[in-house]
Amino acid sequence: MASQARGLQNFISDLRNAKSKEEETKRVDKELANIRKQFTPKGGKVAEDGSNPALSSYQRKKYVWKLVYIHVLGYDVDFGHAEVMVLVRSNKYSEKHVGYTALSLLLRGDDPMVNTVLSTIRKDLTTPSTSEKKNSAPPDAGQSLALCSIANIIGLELIQALHSEVQQTLVAKSSTPNVKKKAALCLLRLVRTSPKVVAGREFAPQVAQLLQDRHLGVLTSAMSLLYGLASQIPDDYESLIPYVVHILGMLVLKKACAREYLYYRTPSPWLQIKLLKFLQLYPTSLVQTPKNGNGKETAADNAAHITQLTSIVSKILTETDVSDSINKSNADHAVLFEAVNLIVTWGSSGPDHLRDGAMKLLGKFISVREPNIRYLGLLTMAKLAQLEGSAESIKKHQATVLVSLKDADISVRRRALDLLFVMCDTDNAERIVDELVAHLVLADAAIREEMVLKIAILAEKYATDLRWYVDTILKLISISGDHVSDAIWHRVVQIVTNHPQGDLQAYTAATLLVAASPRRCHETAVRVAAYVLGEFGFLIAERPGMSGEEQFRILHQHWATSEYQTRAILTSTYAKLANLYEECRPLVAPVFARCKNSVDVEIQQRAAEYASMREAFSPEAVEDLLREMPPFEDNKQSALEQRLRDKEGDDSAAVVKAARPSAAQRERAAQSKAAARAVEEVQAQAKADDVGPIEDDPVSPMSDGSPGTNRPKDRTQKVGIPREVIPAMRKAFSNLCTSPSGVLFENAVLQVGVKQEYVGAQGRISVFFGNLSKKPLFHFRAIVEDVEHLKVQKQGTQGLLDEDENGGCTVAVRTQAKLLLLVEVTAPFDDAPAMRVVFETEEGELHEYPLRLPVVATCFMEPVTLEPAAFMQRWKSLEGQDRECQEVVKAPANAPTIDEEYMTRISRIVTEGLKFGRCQGCDPTPWTVSGAATFRTGAKDMNGNNINVGCLVRVEANPQAGAFRVTTRTLHPLCSKAVKNVALVSIKLSSSP
Amino acid sequence: MIRFFLLQNRQGKTRLSKWYVPPQSRGTHSVEAEKTRIEAEVHRFVTARDKKYTNFIEYNNYKLIYRRYAGLFFTIAVDVNDNELSYLETIHLFVELLDSYFSNVCELDIVFNFNKVYSILDEFMMAGEIEETSKREILDRVKDMEKME
């Protein structure tokens, strides 16, 4: 160990003894002044290069080292470059060494000073021996220094000037191993900054040459270079796979490794890892013959490599063990995890036993106490989870992962969160999301934002019932509102707006109104509530305690404590409320009046414009301005996914997962697409029978899925509804919508019959399940799903209503099970309740039929007789917006022509099927049928009266075109839609031969 | 690849810092000021952690792998897809190198021989990658070079 210059030692000592930062700074400043003085020659005789020629070699080295030290301590050093250059140019190694060290630390690539030493660097790089031979110094000392400093101070000019020299040095026969190592990494550094300096295909054979070097240090560096190059353009280096497999085989299978490269008895783990990382760039290497330029590789060679690689990975997997030495254990597990990563990249093309083995190991790792291994287990399992078919085995570990979610170490918690996110699917979404929400309460600030974002994405992705999604986001707001970004609540608005099906909009409006009711609630909740009530508040305005006026009062209590952005949203909502409800106007007007003087320009402008709108524009224009927003464009990528990507980078397992649409999302997308398509098809007067809108209609006879239930999916293969009975079923369902009894479903095994009668808001529906097969049916169950808009009382044959799948009743041959439903409607709706019929045959075959009960809105209609004038007045008042629904249906080609007799049938559909009162006076020609009815609900308003919805319908025929136009106008959009749907299916049914 | 290698004592004094990927300057902060800021932040993180925790910290868009030897904290910042355990052993190998070179290294050796420590590091890793993993190879090389001074 060579001794240090005394002056430098003293200086370091002084700084160490400094009692405070100030004292240290003072000492540094003093030293800087001294060095500056030393570098300025007395009498001003500066050498050509700006240095002081009077300095001795010892002094120059000492002062430059001091500068370096000062720089290392974090102080700015902006002089002395000339002296550094003198040292770099020196012929003495000791001076060169200091010079290059200082150069690397003090200069950056874009420093103009670099150019002045360029020729020196080049000379050192290309001249293998220094002039100083007497000390038996390594002949490559100068080369090494030059390479090292190029790697350290990279700049564009330096790359331009030197890359070819570096490349030549790397492959030169005369280069020592030491120079090769440094040249390889130096070239890697150049390639990272400018990928084009190396031409891959021509360079690959030269890398192959390097890979045959016996020196493991050279191999280690060469592999870093190769990995860097190949990650830029993998194809160019695919031909090198055999070399890499060969080296790996030597290390792993033969343990052939020089002693000094054994690290705690493991053959160079660093090299093994680099080799495995390189192989990960070729996910198909196990199934594909590598493209090889020279064609020497035969299929047999390739097969041999695949076998060898498989046995290498297999050996790593099975022979890694925990050892007493933590260093050995770490080194071995480092290699093991890299091998598992390789198995993950192979995916399903890799051998099953390796994948299973990896899964088993990871399952063990995520439950060990050792935190590093557990962390890596969680991390790697999340990668494995992306593979097809791995979901089930990973889900088994859910409980274990949840334990890590509560770990004291945030690094572990993050990984656990990530893995839960990745393993989440439709089956376990509710459980995982609930767990995460529960944990959010306890989670510290560092991880909350990440959790909130992930929960929001999961809830959206896997909601089989979007109401659950809305509830979840509300919970997030109430637990951790500060971390719910605008992007998250904007997404709620988007989704609710884009899903008019079902009662999502009304549900959201009602839920948010309740959420905003307390005096103290998070501002984000106020924002969503304000926006949603502005859009969909009218849907709930008839519910007790939710009138427009009450909506206003609940929102307005937050006004004083809200920020300007929130007030801006509130202002728009007030305008909409005032437009809809007379009684709100006097409440809103003073708010607007005050806001005209608001310091916030946006609010000032909104208030002024809304306040004067009524005078300035026609009522239609005002209506137009305050209309609900149109559906949002369905972006492929939600803003939330973008956020996740920004945070975690493109490669993270979570990002990949988030980008892949879930089954629930696909279904929702398909539904809206189908709805759009159905409208188009009808407009294009498509064939009525085959693919009419009924297929995608919410009143379809088949239940589309399973809102809000978790049923076990995986047990055995289930027999569903055979395709061929679907058209008949659809017809039977349509028929039952307007008739008191009939068959809902029939196949060779089972017949389901329905009898129904309705009085006002109440109905009594009997369902009969007849066994048509020759053997009894076991575990027979009928599951009627609860829906919000119906209060249902159920009675049935013993066991029929069991929830447990081992329960159920037995239906003997030629007998029936019976189900009696007493329903009361409480709110408008436009779909039909789902009923699943599940049973097992004697052979153990599991049948499951998702059906829908024909309990539709029109069942609860009560005919109303209206004078023509009254009808027209109401008709006009309900025009426009979503209170109106219209659709055209064309009769099939073989349908009877539309004549007066046909119109009587239509009239019967309206009066008997839809239960509307015919309004004769409104139909001057035989080609229209108008009717009125009241939709009765059992819900009470504040005065204790039942809430009812007035409904009007009009069917207009165009005999020439053979088409009908159905228009419905009601006080409630869902009613309009429901009546229209039933009318359409009935007309279609009547026209089919 | 390695973004930076840090050696700090418990009080937060940086004893060695090598940046292979310099940080972006932020606003009025120069690159150097940004380095100082990050080094201080890293110190805050590693000293606050319990012994029972992992040796890994997820930091910005990369990872910190750290290890404590008596009063010294060694920290390597690497890309997220780098092999954590191998860098944990990289730290250990470096400590073994210092230990052999100084025979039982202590903080003072590192303080007074900072330039030697840099020389050893330069033979051990370069351009953010491990260059050589044989202790003998590295130490022989360092000693050969010293003979020339």
Side-chain angles (χ1 to χ4, degrees):
Chain A
M1 187 175 133
S3 63
Q4 222 39 293
R6 180 171 293 276
L8 180 57
Q9 297 280 7
N10 291 343
F11 176 54
I12 294 174
S13 235
D14 283 355
L15 289 188
R16 253 180 56 76
N17 295 333
K19 300 218 164 42
S20 63
K21 188 75 192 162
E22 288 75 39
E23 208 174 305
E24 185 190 285
T25 312
K26 232 167 105 188
R27 180 70 186 83
V28 167
D29 285 343
K30 190 178 148 207
E31 193 61 39
L32 284 173
N34 174 40
I35 299 171
R36 211 185 286 267
K37 206 175 98 207
Q38 296 293 338
F39 283 176
T40 324
K42 292 182 190 83
K45 264 194 270 160
V46 184
E48 233 174 278
D49 55 14
S51 66
N52 179 2
L55 281 180
S56 72
S57 160
Y58 175 82
Q59 283 173 314
R60 189 175 282 118
K61 282 193 288 183
K62 181 177 77 180
Y63 292 129
V64 171
W65 271 130
K66 280 188 185 174
L67 284 186
V68 169
Y69 189 68
I70 291 169
H71 169 82
V72 167
L73 288 179
Y75 294 90
D76 267 347
V77 175
D78 50 5
F79 69 98
H81 293 171
E83 305 301 332
V84 171
M85 296 305 160
V86 171
L87 292 172
V88 170
R89 276 192 292 269
S90 161
N91 281 332
K92 287 193 191 137
Y93 171 77
S94 58
E95 293 187 355
K96 233 182 213 333
H97 176 53
V98 187
Y100 270 122
T101 308
L103 191 68
S104 321
L105 284 169
L106 299 181
L107 290 195
R108 278 184 312 165
D110 49 5
D111 197 307
M113 290 294 270
V114 171
N115 290 323
T116 64
V117 284
L118 203 63
S119 57
T120 314
I121 297 180
R122 180 179 288 129
K123 199 176 115 229
D124 287 337
L125 178 59
T126 49
T127 322
S129 61
T130 56
S131 58
E132 201 178 14
K133 286 246 160 131
K134 54 179 196 270
N135 280 347
S136 74
D140 56 3
Q143 270 183 307
S144 300
L145 286 177
L147 285 166
C148 198
S149 62
I150 299 172
N152 275 323
I153 41 162
I154 204 70
L156 275 180
E157 289 189 49
L158 210 61
I159 295 173
Q160 301 284 337
L162 294 171
H163 71 85
S164 57
E165 278 89 346
V166 173
Q167 218 165 320
Q168 278 157 20
T169 312
L170 173 61
V171 295
K173 288 246 167 358
S174 59
S175 293
T176 61
N178 199 25
V179 167
K180 280 189 188 160
K181 286 190 291 197
K182 291 196 162 62
L185 293 180
C186 192
L187 186 59
L188 172 61
R189 182 79 170 85
L190 301 184
V191 169
R192 279 196 184 129
T193 327
S194 343
K196 290 204 185 99
V197 300
V198 168
R201 287 197 185 276
E202 287 89 78
F203 191 60
Q206 301 187 321
V207 181
Q209 204 64 42
L210 280 173
L211 292 183
Q212 292 169 59
D213 203 300
R214 307 275 301 269
H215 194 286
L216 284 191
V218 173
L219 282 182
T220 306
S221 301
M223 274 315 297
S224 292
L225 171 62
L226 174 55
Y227 180 68
L229 289 169
S231 23
Q232 288 173 348
I233 311 172
D235 282 356
D236 284 355
Y237 301 92
E238 198 176 352
S239 58
L240 300 179
I241 293 176
Y243 295 94
V244 170
V245 173
H246 175 74
I247 303 172
L248 199 55
M250 294 297 281
L251 295 175
V252 176
L253 299 176
K254 304 212 172 97
K255 300 254 177 217
C257 172
R259 256 187 91 84
E260 58 197 90
Y261 285 94
L262 291 174
Y263 181 79
Y264 291 86
R265 302 196 307 282
T266 303
S268 187
W270 288 274
L271 178 55
Q272 288 194 44
I273 286 161
K274 285 181 201 244
L275 296 162
L276 288 165
K277 274 216 179 293
F278 170 78
L279 292 170
Q280 287 165 34
L281 296 172
Y282 303 94
T284 55
S285 60
L286 280 196
V287 283
Q288 251 174 27
T289 318
K291 286 168 233 139
N292 193 317
N294 55 29
K296 270 192 252 160
E297 183 89 344
T298 64
D301 284 341
N302 189 43
H305 285 132
I306 289 177
T307 320
Q308 191 181 18
L309 187 50
T310 317
S311 49
I312 290 168
V313 175
S314 173
K315 182 165 169 142
I316 295 174
L317 222 54
T318 47
E319 294 190 5
T320 304
D321 230 337
V322 181
S323 71
D324 308 338
S325 151
I326 179 75
N327 301 99
K328 163 118 182 106
S329 178
N330 280 345
D332 290 346
H333 282 86
V335 175
L336 174 62
F337 276 110
E338 217 52 72
V340 173
N341 284 341
L342 180 57
I343 295 172
V344 171
T345 58
W346 284 339
S348 52
S349 73
D352 290 343
H353 72 275
L354 291 183
R355 233 174 15 256
D356 295 346
M359 179 52 94
K360 239 168 106 189
L361 272 175
L362 294 178
K364 197 173 85 190
F365 290 157
I366 61 166
S367 54
V368 298
R369 296 260 306 270
E370 215 285 294
N372 288 340
I373 299 292
R374 186 148 46 93
Y375 171 93
L376 292 170
L378 293 165
L379 173 77
T380 315
M381 197 179 265
K383 291 185 193 163
L384 198 64
Q386 293 171 64
L387 296 188
E388 209 118 334
S390 60
E392 287 314 313
S393 31
I394 286 182
K395 275 197 276 179
K396 278 189 279 178
H397 301 294
Q398 192 172 312
T400 320
V401 182
L402 281 169
V403 175
S404 281
L405 187 65
K406 290 156 193 141
D407 198 277
D409 182 358
I410 179 142
S411 301
V412 173
R413 289 202 301 277
R414 283 221 167 93
R415 284 306 114 214
L417 171 62
D418 192 59
L419 178 53
L420 284 172
F421 181 80
V422 178
M423 70 161 66
C424 193
D425 65 13
T426 321
D427 293 343
N428 57 15
E430 251 177 88
R431 166 106 206 276
I432 287 186
V433 167
D434 287 349
E435 284 277 2
L436 290 178
V437 170
H439 183 61
L440 188 62
V441 183
L442 311 165
D444 52 293
I447 200 172
R448 274 194 171 202
E449 192 185 344
E450 203 176 323
M451 286 186 73
V452 166
L453 180 65
K454 287 189 168 160
I455 294 172
I457 293 178
L458 288 180
E460 179 192 332
K461 243 181 154 42
Y462 296 110
T464 44
D465 183 345
L466 284 171
R467 290 177 296 189
W468 172 70
Y469 160 72
V470 171
D471 287 343
T472 306
I473 303 291
L474 260 184
K475 275 189 214 153
L476 293 182
I477 295 175
S478 72
I479 296 170
S480 191
D482 289 346
H483 298 98
V484 176
S485 62
D486 284 350
I488 294 177
W489 79 259
H490 288 172
R491 189 76 184 154
V492 174
V493 167
Q494 260 181 33
I495 287 180
V496 172
T497 309
N498 287 4
H499 288 85
Q501 304 96 328
D503 67 338
L504 179 66
Q505 294 173 341
Y507 176 81
T508 310
T511 315
L512 281 163
L513 189 66
V514 172
S517 294
R519 192 81 190 78
R520 288 165 147 281
C521 81
H522 196 274
E523 190 155 351
T524 306
V526 178
R527 288 185 191 181
V528 209
Y531 190 98
V532 169
L533 288 172
E535 295 294 298
F536 308 112
F538 71 95
L539 295 176
I540 55 166
E542 289 177 25
R543 297 189 190 177
M546 296 188 172
S547 70
E549 195 180 334
E550 274 148 328
Q551 290 179 24
F552 171 81
R553 287 195 195 287
I554 287 172
L555 289 176
H556 196 56
Q557 63 175 334
H558 302 292
W559 178 272
T561 50
S562 292
E563 283 171 25
Y564 288 117
Q565 281 161 302
T566 315
R567 287 190 188 182
I569 301 171
L570 284 168
T571 314
S572 297
T573 303
Y574 293 170
K576 293 190 175 194
L577 287 174
N579 179 46
L580 285 175
Y581 314 105
E582 197 83 49
E583 61 274 24
C584 282
R585 284 179 203 159
L587 299 170
V588 170
V591 180
F592 285 172
R594 270 202 309 280
C595 285
K596 282 186 197 170
N597 301 322
S598 168
V599 277
D600 188 78
V601 183
E602 177 69 27
I603 293 174
Q604 204 183 89
Q605 187 180 351
R606 285 191 194 199
E609 287 175 2
Y610 290 139
S612 49
M613 199 158 56
R614 265 170 205 292
E615 292 100 70
F617 302 119
S618 68
E620 291 79 26
V622 172
E623 204 65 44
D624 243 10
L625 282 168
L626 297 176
R627 191 185 292 278
E628 304 93 275
M629 304 302 274
F632 291 84
E633 229 176 274
D634 219 354
N635 296 348
K636 280 254 152 51
Q637 188 190 33
S638 84
L640 304 191
E641 284 162 34
Q642 187 53 48
R643 255 183 101 79
L644 195 69
R645 193 176 295 266
D646 292 346
K647 281 181 98 86
E648 306 199 351
D650 289 346
D651 298 335
S652 106
V655 172
V656 175
K657 151 104 173 179
R660 206 183 298 147
S662 73
Q665 277 175 318
R666 277 199 299 271
E667 197 173 306
R668 287 204 294 273
Q671 269 175 11
S672 20
K673 234 193 235 148
R677 200 180 53 225
V679 170
E680 270 169 31
E681 272 174 9
V682 172
Q683 279 165 351
Q685 317 213 315
K687 294 170 281 161
D689 215 11
D690 243 13
V691 268
I694 183 174
E695 186 176 19
D696 312 303
D697 223 287
V699 225
S700 160
M702 270 209 308
S703 160
D704 51 349
S706 52
T709 57
N710 320 312
R711 41 175 136 129
K713 268 192 182 161
D714 40 37
R715 231 173 41 143
T716 41
Q717 199 65 36
K718 282 176 190 165
V719 179
I721 298 174
R723 275 197 161 276
E724 58 276 13
V725 306
I726 290 176
M729 242 176 91
R730 208 177 280 159
K731 210 162 159 179
F733 177 84
S734 307
N735 192 24
L736 269 169
C737 284
T738 54
S739 65
S741 66
V743 172
L744 181 66
F745 172 87
E746 183 170 338
N747 65 1
V749 187
L750 182 72
Q751 184 189 55
V752 182
V754 173
K755 238 190 208 168
Q756 48 185 352
E757 52 189 322
Y758 297 89
V759 179
Q762 288 164 343
R764 178 189 166 92
I765 302 113
S766 314
V767 189
F768 307 95
F769 305 93
N771 181 355
L772 302 183
S773 73
K774 301 210 164 56
K775 287 177 181 157
L777 303 175
F778 300 100
H779 300 301
F780 197 101
R781 296 181 301 132
I783 302 110
V784 179
E785 270 148 24
D786 290 327
V787 280
E788 190 126 327
H789 54 262
L790 287 178
K791 265 194 257 171
V792 183
Q793 279 180 310
K794 294 173 252 188
Q795 297 165 21
T797 310
Q798 176 85 40
L800 181 68
L801 292 164
D802 279 354
E803 288 187 6
D804 177 16
E805 52 187 297
N806 296 319
C809 60
T810 303
V811 184
V813 181
R814 304 232 149 262
T815 63
Q816 284 184 334
K818 290 192 195 79
L819 173 66
L820 176 66
L821 301 172
L822 299 170
V823 302
E824 184 181 65
V825 66
T826 55
F829 64 99
D830 71 337
D831 55 353
M835 172 176 74
R836 280 191 298 127
V837 180
V838 188
F839 58 88
E840 239 176 274
T841 60
E842 210 175 41
E843 291 81 28
E845 204 175 42
L846 197 60
H847 287 247
E848 175 168 339
Y849 303 143
L851 302 174
R852 281 195 184 276
L853 289 167
V855 182
V856 291
T858 50
C859 298
F860 305 97
M861 291 293 170
E862 218 157 76
V864 173
T865 322
L866 281 182
E867 287 303 311
F871 181 90
M872 289 319 285
Q873 193 200 345
R874 287 201 198 176
W875 184 254
K876 289 238 167 68
S877 72
L878 290 170
E879 188 177 342
Q881 296 196 28
D882 49 7
R883 286 175 283 190
E884 174 181 306
C885 266
Q886 194 170 70
E887 204 165 320
V888 175
V889 55
K890 189 172 161 72
N894 54 355
T897 43
I898 301 176
D899 50 14
E900 296 201 13
E901 191 215 311
Y902 199 136
M903 288 312 289
T904 20
R905 289 225 303 275
I906 296 292
S907 163
R908 252 206 319 275
I909 288 174
V910 171
T911 51
E912 288 165 25
L914 305 184
K915 301 206 266 186
F916 273 60
R918 175 85 195 261
C919 189
Q920 295 277 7
C922 294
D923 304 319
T925 70
W927 309 117
T928 53
V929 177
S930 308
T934 304
F935 175 73
R936 296 251 175 238
T937 76
K940 304 264 194 253
D941 67 8
M942 286 202 309
N943 304 325
N945 299 323
N946 281 15
I947 296 178
N948 301 324
V949 182
C951 304
L952 303 176
V953 69
R954 209 153 201 207
V955 183
E956 292 155 291
N958 181 342
Q960 283 82 34
F964 294 96
R965 184 168 75 177
V966 179
T967 312
T968 57
R969 291 182 184 175
T970 79
L971 277 167
H972 198 288
L974 284 176
C975 277
S976 301
K977 209 164 143 203
V979 174
K980 179 213 73 183
N981 285 337
V982 180
L984 275 181
V985 297
S986 311
I987 292 172
K988 262 192 214 158
L989 203 62
S990 73
S991 62
S992 63
Chain B
M1 71 173 293
I2 303 172
R3 289 160 177 264
F4 59 78
F5 188 110
L6 277 185
L7 207 175
Q8 300 167 307
N9 71 7
R10 221 172 21 192
Q11 290 73 40
K13 277 248 187 306
T14 298
R15 292 307 185 196
L16 168 99
S17 86
K18 183 87 180 174
W19 289 76
Y20 296 101
V21 182
Q24 298 286 317
S25 51
R26 295 201 319 177
T28 54
H29 281 252
S30 66
V31 173
E32 291 306 317
E34 186 61 10
K35 281 184 188 171
T36 316
R37 188 189 68 79
I38 293 178
E39 286 169 14
E41 202 163 68
V42 169
H43 174 258
R44 230 178 19 255
F45 277 135
V46 295
T47 46
R49 285 174 65 88
D50 194 282
K51 265 193 195 146
K52 292 193 292 281
Y53 289 4
T54 56
N55 294 85
F56 320 133
I57 304 171
E58 296 172 16
Y59 177 72
N60 295 340
N61 49 351
Y62 46 93
K63 264 184 199 180
L64 304 174
I65 315 293
Y66 73 97
R67 211 160 171 169
R68 180 181 173 169
Y69 292 86
L72 287 178
F73 290 88
F74 293 74
T75 308
I76 302 186
V78 295
D79 294 336
V80 278
N81 53 356
D82 274 325
N83 190 303
E84 294 83 354
L85 287 177
S86 79
Y87 283 108
L88 199 53
E89 290 316 295
T90 301
I91 293 175
H92 185 73
L93 185 55
F94 185 63
V95 172
E96 286 190 356
L97 282 167
L98 295 181
D99 239 2
S100 313
Y101 183 84
F102 293 106
S103 38
N104 266 332
V105 68
C106 67
E107 191 179 345
L108 280 189
D109 291 326
I110 296 169
V111 172
F112 283 103
N113 300 286
F114 75 96
N115 45 355
K116 290 283 171 278
V117 179
Y118 276 99
S119 300
I120 297 173
L121 187 65
D122 278 347
E123 293 299 327
F124 180 38
M125 52 177 79
M126 200 175 128
E129 299 289 346
I130 312 289
E131 171 190 334
E132 178 57 74
T133 58
S134 153
K135 259 195 289 181
R136 209 195 67 198
E137 186 93 4
I138 295 169
L139 292 174
D140 284 357
R141 177 80 187 169
V142 172
K143 281 174 188 149
D144 277 352
M145 304 295 246
E146 263 172 17
K147 285 185 201 147
M148 301 171 66
E149 292 191 357

